[in-house]
Amino acid sequence: MERQTFPVVGMMCAACSANVERKLRSMEGVSEVAVSLPGRTAMVDYDPDVVSPEDMQREIAAAGYQLIIDKETDVEDIHRRAFEDLRKRMILSWLFTAAVMLFSMHWLHLGSTLLNHVVCMILAAASMLLCGRSFYVVAWQQLKHRSANMDTLVALSTGIAFLFSVYLTFTAAQHTWFDSTTMIISFVLTGRLLEERAKNGTASSIRALMGLQPKTAHLVDVANDSVSDVPIATLQPRDLLDVRMGEAIPVDGVMRSGEAAVDESMITGEPVAVPKQKGDKLLAGTIVRQGNLRMRAQQVGSETVLSSIIRMVQQAQSSKAPVQRTVDKVALIFVPAVLGIAIVTFVVWMLVNGDFQHALITAVSVLVIACPCAMGLATPTALMVGIGRAAEHGILVKDATALEQLHRVDALVTDKTGTLTIPNTDIAASDDLSFQEREALKPHADEAVGMLRKMGIEVWMTSGDREDAAAYWAQRVGIEHYRSKVMPQDKEDLVRQLQSNKHSVAMVGDGINDTQALAAADVSMAIGRGTDVAMELAQVTLMGDDLRAIPHAIKLSRQTVRTLRENLFWAFIYNIVCIPLAAGVVPSIHITPMWAAALMAFSSVSVVLNSLRLQLKKI
């Protein structure tokens, strides 16, 4: 099995992402799919011997969307051009709306009501063709595949309002609904523009990480000791590179010569520049703050640590929390359900008062006000911001499930050596040395434990060390519960014992002897400088040695889940309240199609903006 994350162009609502996911999941050879609406990505687990990315691309193209499989494609440029096109269509649509209002309200009178209506009809048709054409194209493609999305609702509502208004125009009616047709298009486009701008904000952490990668590198020609600038994509292992003060190191490698101090804060979280000498490891994206150096490239392209971090964050942001699975199922049936409600609304009003115009326009309002977008954006936008903020603080979350589970943690088990303490490598091991001489407490370890206890989390320390050493370090760091002389099985047993006592347990470790406990824990956390095995098992990786990242991760998880629940509450309440109001359940409240469009746009934007508030909260 292979896992890849593909950018997807053209998704606008929850029904869109649900349709893309359904199409991919139905393909033979595809085992798992997670489509992120705000991330505009599809993470796919598939068997390359059965299905290829080209097959997936064709399937998604037939449904009206674009799956980007060429890694050289500038996806950001595609989204940038799409955003600019959306902005132009939105501005033009408001110009058409203003013109239609001038004539429909008779602020400009052409001598006869019929002539005013005809001008409004022409302007509305132009708005539909030039500004809203994508609604009708996508709705038709969805219909051909027996699917429906937000574009279906917009196309139906504006199409019905327009055709009914054409009928009214030529039957000497005094009022038409061309203004509602153009207003719906304008409000929907405005909502999407604001939504896209806000969604770009949720992906800011990925862009910040990508911004750490330089575009070019200074390649040294060993034969004549000349230096030339080359694209970073052309670099190969063993290339000799020149890196100057103030520049980012282009790839992972080893220092060969020079004197330099390197800022590795993007990996370690420590803002202090680290002196480097010949033979020292250098990582892509870290900054040379002092001096100049030459290095030998080792890992290039997608093999660098920075690329791995970006890939992990992208996959985490594309993954789905358990609650999102339920929302996706709702989104798939939401649009057909709304169509059914609109038909029932029309029939009921025809039976109640026989007023065809009132019944039709009320049904149109129901179509317009329903909003699957808010539901679809509620969970992933909060998770994207939360996972992105975690990455900015050196906390790499493997998937959305881990971030959601982390907020429930009320007990934490931590290894001692390598996690709470640092072994003293400058002295030889000897029985004559005291345990205080053999190791030192990590910076901020006692502060981190204090923060965890204030958060109501019970902290346990495990150690293979003898009783007096374990007691000393537990007391130094402020941990009440500890176990000494433990074996790997004992750590797992402690985790399971706490779980049997109804605790949700996080395990923090750094070595092979922690892997059993990490696998058993509800949430597994590894120190970034630990073994590859521990980091592979861990759902959360803490880059650097600052243990305050542990309470920060839990606090951020709590903030994210709280925001996610707020989003879901308001998204569902919006539809539960607004759809009946639009249907005329409360006779004193009459929501016209254009006001329905305004409310629909507001609901989507408000959910994304609420998620963006996470970026302002302290952790």
Side-chain angles (χ1 to χ4, degrees):
M1 280 291 172
E2 188 171 325
R3 168 174 289 185
Q4 283 201 57
T5 300
F6 302 102
V8 183
V9 176
M11 295 189 300
M12 289 296 177
C13 70
C16 294
S17 57
N19 283 333
V20 170
E21 187 164 312
R22 182 167 56 86
K23 285 287 181 185
L24 289 171
R25 201 182 291 276
S26 67
M27 297 183 72
E28 187 179 356
V30 174
S31 60
E32 187 57 47
V33 182
V35 176
S36 168
L37 175 59
R40 296 171 287 205
T41 58
M43 186 169 68
V44 188
D45 292 343
Y46 66 98
D47 184 347
D49 294 331
V50 179
V51 64
S52 68
E54 288 77 13
D55 297 329
M56 299 180 214
Q57 187 180 51
R58 283 191 292 271
E59 183 75 12
I60 297 306
Y65 307 98
Q66 186 181 358
L67 192 77
I68 307 296
I69 61 174
D70 183 1
K71 293 182 179 179
E72 299 302 315
T73 301
D74 189 343
V75 180
E76 285 296 317
D77 184 58
I78 292 174
H79 287 310
R80 201 162 34 245
R81 283 188 276 113
F83 182 84
E84 185 59 27
D85 176 65
L86 179 59
R87 189 180 70 86
K88 289 176 180 176
R89 287 191 291 126
M90 185 270 291
I91 293 171
L92 184 60
S93 74
W94 278 112
L95 293 176
F96 280 125
T97 297
V100 168
M101 291 294 290
L102 283 173
F103 291 105
S104 65
M105 302 297 290
H106 296 283
W107 295 331
L108 282 180
H109 196 59
L110 300 176
S112 74
T113 301
L114 175 61
L115 192 54
N116 268 43
H117 287 346
V118 169
V119 170
C120 289
M121 180 179 68
I122 293 169
L123 290 169
S127 179
M128 294 168 75
L129 181 64
L130 298 176
C131 306
R133 181 175 177 272
S134 61
F135 299 137
Y136 311 105
V137 171
V138 173
W140 175 247
Q141 289 172 327
Q142 294 293 311
L143 181 63
K144 287 194 295 184
H145 288 81
R146 290 179 290 181
S147 299
N149 63 6
M150 190 66 207
D151 289 318
T152 307
L153 299 181
V154 175
L156 267 176
S157 58
T158 54
I160 291 169
F162 179 81
L163 291 174
F164 183 52
S165 296
V166 171
Y167 167 77
L168 292 174
T169 295
F170 296 105
T171 54
Q174 291 299 306
H175 180 72
T176 61
W177 295 93
F178 291 123
D179 51 355
S180 288
T181 302
T182 56
M183 193 73 78
I184 291 168
I185 292 172
S186 295
F187 272 125
V188 172
L189 291 176
T190 302
R192 286 191 175 176
L193 187 78
L194 295 173
E195 195 179 296
E196 288 299 306
R197 182 169 288 173
K199 281 195 290 190
N200 286 338
T202 65
S204 60
S205 57
I206 282 289
R207 286 196 299 275
L209 286 170
M210 289 179 168
L212 295 172
Q213 297 176 308
K215 303 296 182 188
T216 60
H218 309 304
L219 180 64
V220 179
D221 186 337
V222 181
N224 55 21
D225 199 35
S226 63
V227 178
S228 58
D229 290 348
V230 298
I232 194 170
T234 64
L235 294 180
Q236 300 292 325
R238 304 290 304 163
D239 280 346
L240 188 64
L241 308 173
D242 199 40
V243 189
R244 298 152 193 172
M245 188 169 70
E247 294 181 343
I249 291 172
V251 295
D252 292 357
V254 175
M255 183 161 165
R256 302 306 302 159
S257 63
E259 292 183 2
V262 178
D263 178 356
E264 298 180 330
S265 57
M266 72 98 176
I267 297 292
T268 65
E270 297 294 333
V272 179
V274 180
K276 295 289 183 180
Q277 57 188 12
K278 184 177 180 180
D280 283 349
K281 181 75 175 175
L282 300 171
L283 298 175
T286 56
I287 310 295
V288 178
R289 294 298 183 197
Q290 297 175 15
N292 302 296
L293 61 87
R294 283 195 173 177
M295 64 178 291
R296 183 74 68 185
Q298 290 183 327
Q299 286 80 34
V300 300
S302 61
E303 302 302 314
T304 66
V305 170
L306 179 58
S307 293
S308 299
I309 291 172
I310 292 171
R311 192 159 53 248
M312 182 183 288
V313 175
Q314 283 178 324
Q315 289 182 353
Q317 290 184 330
S318 298
S319 64
K320 295 196 174 185
V323 67
Q324 181 64 22
R325 304 288 180 185
T326 304
V327 175
D328 286 347
K329 290 175 183 176
V330 173
L332 269 177
I333 63 171
F334 183 84
V335 174
V338 169
L339 291 172
I341 293 170
I343 292 169
V344 169
T345 298
F346 175 79
V347 172
V348 168
W349 278 112
M350 284 297 293
L351 293 173
V352 168
N353 59 22
D355 186 337
F356 178 82
Q357 180 167 333
H358 178 264
L360 187 66
I361 294 304
T362 303
V364 167
S365 294
V366 169
L367 290 174
V368 175
I369 208 165
C371 187
C373 301
M375 289 189 297
L377 292 167
T379 300
T381 51
L383 290 171
M384 277 192 73
V385 176
I387 290 168
R389 282 212 72 197
E392 291 168 3
H393 287 80
I395 304 163
L396 301 183
V397 182
K398 187 170 284 186
D399 56 40
T401 301
L403 190 68
E404 189 182 16
Q405 288 178 339
L406 196 56
H407 89 282
R408 299 191 186 94
V409 166
D410 58 4
L412 182 134
V413 178
T414 176
D415 176 49
K416 175 177 73 72
T417 307
T419 303
L420 290 173
T421 63
I422 307 171
N424 189 345
T425 56
D426 295 331
I427 55 174
S430 169
D431 292 335
D432 297 331
L433 293 173
S434 68
F435 44 74
Q436 297 98 320
E437 293 173 301
R438 288 200 198 109
E439 52 192 327
L441 202 62
K442 280 189 177 180
H444 311 299
D446 51 348
E447 186 181 348
V449 170
M451 292 167 69
L452 288 167
R453 292 177 64 179
K454 283 182 181 177
M455 295 167 70
I457 295 170
E458 188 177 295
V459 183
W460 286 74
M461 185 192 81
T462 61
S463 174
D465 218 336
R466 60 183 192 259
E467 170 66 22
D468 58 343
Y472 172 80
W473 290 113
Q475 187 273 329
R476 277 284 309 276
V477 83
I479 294 177
E480 295 179 10
H481 311 285
Y482 68 91
R483 290 190 178 175
S484 60
K485 298 181 180 178
V486 297
M487 301 297 286
Q489 185 62 49
D490 298 321
K491 296 182 182 183
E492 180 186 346
D493 291 344
L494 174 59
V495 169
R496 297 200 182 278
Q497 178 190 325
L498 290 168
Q499 289 171 330
S500 67
N501 292 332
K502 309 301 181 185
H503 284 293
S504 180
V505 184
M507 171 70 195
V508 186
D510 75 317
I512 293 174
N513 61 342
D514 299 316
T515 54
Q516 283 180 244
L518 286 168
D522 296 290
V523 180
S524 51
M525 308 175 80
I527 303 298
R529 294 178 179 176
T531 66
D532 291 341
V533 177
M535 290 174 66
E536 183 65 29
L537 272 174
Q539 295 165 294
V540 180
T541 301
L542 310 174
M543 307 302 290
D545 287 323
D546 191 341
L547 296 180
R548 291 176 298 183
I550 299 171
H552 287 162
I554 296 171
K555 185 176 180 181
L556 183 58
S557 171
R558 291 177 178 180
Q559 291 174 344
T560 302
V561 171
R562 189 181 305 119
T563 301
L564 182 155
R565 287 173 175 169
E566 290 170 357
N567 286 351
L568 283 175
F569 173 80
W570 289 113
F572 278 101
I573 284 295
Y574 165 84
N575 283 292
I576 289 169
V577 172
C578 288
I579 291 176
L581 288 178
V585 170
V586 181
S588 60
I589 299 177
H590 180 57
I591 300 177
T592 63
M594 60 181 168
W595 283 112
L599 286 168
M600 184 271 291
F602 172 76
S603 69
S604 298
V605 174
S606 63
V607 162
V608 183
L609 291 178
N610 189 49
S611 296
L612 288 173
R613 287 196 310 122
L614 271 172
Q615 294 180 336
L616 306 176
K617 293 184 178 180
K618 291 182 66 176
I619 62 170

